Amino acid sequence: MVSPLSNDAVGFAPLAPPTMWQGWDAFVHRAPVPAHAADDDGDDGAWSQAEREDYHSELAVMRTPAMDSVFTAVRRLLLVNRRQQVGARRGLVIFGPATTGKTATMMALGRSFQLADARQHPGQAERRPVLFISVPPAATPKMLVSEFARFLGMPIADRLNQTQITGAVCDLLCELGTQLVLIDDVHLLDTQRRAGAETSDQLKYLGERIPATFVYSAIDVETSSLLSGVRGAQIAGRFKIFRHRPLAYATAQDRAVWNDLVCAMEDLLRLRAHRAGTLVKHAAYLHARTAGRIGSLSHLIREAALVAVTEGTEGIERITEQLLSEVELEAAAEAQARPTRQKQ
């Protein structure tokens, strides 16, 4: 008998992480919906429960004004950097509180760029226009460049030193036509410590050797050591800063943006008894629960949908405010939402 917590029970197929080329390329080319399509009434009766669970597990975060701003900024930087031959090119740092959608924005940026590159270079499957990695904890320069190599599938022999790995990585990225380097969790670099400072220097060197535009994401970079001191001044002198804030709900325009996002996510739901417009009707509640954080909103809707699929019956397979209230979010979101929930 299969355990209800087993991956096999929900049709889960392990995927390579996006910090490896196989996982990244799969993310870029993954169909946004399952193979089966809903019929004219929106009924997905042809889908198995496993397919429906998998579908809601990866329900996409919709495009936001912040994403559009980042796309525009990076598109301009790519033009500025196109012919630069000397020194580090200009880059972008996306920063803000946790769960505001920074990583999702960065990955959406990389996906859009890679698909555009494929259209411009048909039949060149060997190209690697985008590289996406995450800074490992307590990173050293060798650990960082080894993440570059791991993404590319380069074997790293124990006898190779940092300089040799760096040279091989830079040469290969030039050969593969890499133009966009995305580095997540840069706030993990503590430049007040020797290893973090040296790794920051390694990043600067890679930016000078690789003819690509670098985009970093970080949590609350203004309170970290990333932009302080001599090394921080170097980053501040070469990188634009984009503040990825939670979505507001104060003005009519704010509410329109939030409501459109909730409506777009609701349109993606595949629940047999869900009433269209339910989530939009509760848009203010959803904002209060999540404090306008995209990651928290995605979690709340996805978990509620999965509970409806797995724990409800076909007759009540829908998301209600009661069901939403039963979903516990991450500690930070719950702490911010607690005063609102207590008033209800």
Side-chain angles (χ1 to χ4, degrees), residues 51-251:
E51 287 176 311
R52 286 145 51 69
E53 290 173 16
D54 284 351
Y55 174 79
H56 289 102
S57 180
E58 64 174 351
L59 190 65
V61 173
M62 306 307 297
R63 192 150 170 172
T64 65
M67 284 188 183
D68 291 336
S69 297
V70 168
F71 281 31
T72 298
V74 173
R75 183 171 62 249
R76 293 174 179 175
L77 288 172
L78 286 162
L79 291 172
V80 168
N81 291 335
R82 179 185 292 173
R83 303 295 295 175
Q84 183 171 338
Q85 300 296 321
V86 179
R89 292 152 187 83
R90 294 304 188 254
L92 182 73
V93 179
I94 305 169
F95 87 96
T99 72
T100 52
K102 298 179 298 300
T103 301
T105 294
M106 179 180 283
M107 292 180 68
L109 168 69
R111 181 179 187 272
S112 177
F113 181 81
Q114 182 166 320
L115 292 174
D117 184 86
R119 291 191 294 268
Q120 295 170 5
H121 302 90
Q124 299 185 31
E126 73 282 357
R127 287 179 62 83
R128 300 290 184 267
V130 177
L131 180 142
F132 175 76
I133 68 162
S134 181
V135 173
T140 64
K142 185 174 181 179
M143 289 169 62
L144 180 72
V145 78
S146 294
E147 288 297 306
F148 279 63
R150 189 169 75 99
F151 179 90
L152 296 169
M154 293 175 58
I156 302 296
D158 292 339
R159 66 179 183 277
L160 295 180
N161 60 34
Q162 171 195 324
T163 301
Q164 291 170 320
I165 299 172
T166 300
V169 163
C170 292
D171 290 344
L172 184 56
L173 288 174
C174 291
E175 291 176 17
L176 296 175
T178 302
Q179 300 173 61
L180 188 61
V181 175
L182 309 175
I183 304 181
D184 202 10
D185 293 332
V186 178
H187 57 273
L188 293 178
L189 292 178
D190 185 356
T191 57
Q192 295 181 344
R193 296 179 178 273
R194 179 177 176 179
E198 291 176 348
T199 306
S200 177
D201 292 342
Q202 172 79 312
L203 271 179
K204 177 178 178 294
Y205 178 75
L206 291 168
E208 293 171 346
R209 281 286 308 274
I210 303 166
T213 297
F214 280 60
V215 179
Y216 301 160
S217 79
I219 295 175
D220 296 332
V221 71
E222 290 179 321
T223 61
S224 74
S225 62
L226 191 65
L227 297 181
S228 64
V230 174
R231 291 177 175 87
Q234 291 178 331
I235 294 175
R238 291 187 171 101
F239 281 75
K240 293 184 178 184
I241 304 295
F242 180 84
R243 292 165 176 81
H244 206 294
R245 298 182 175 92
L247 291 177
Y249 204 69
T251 68

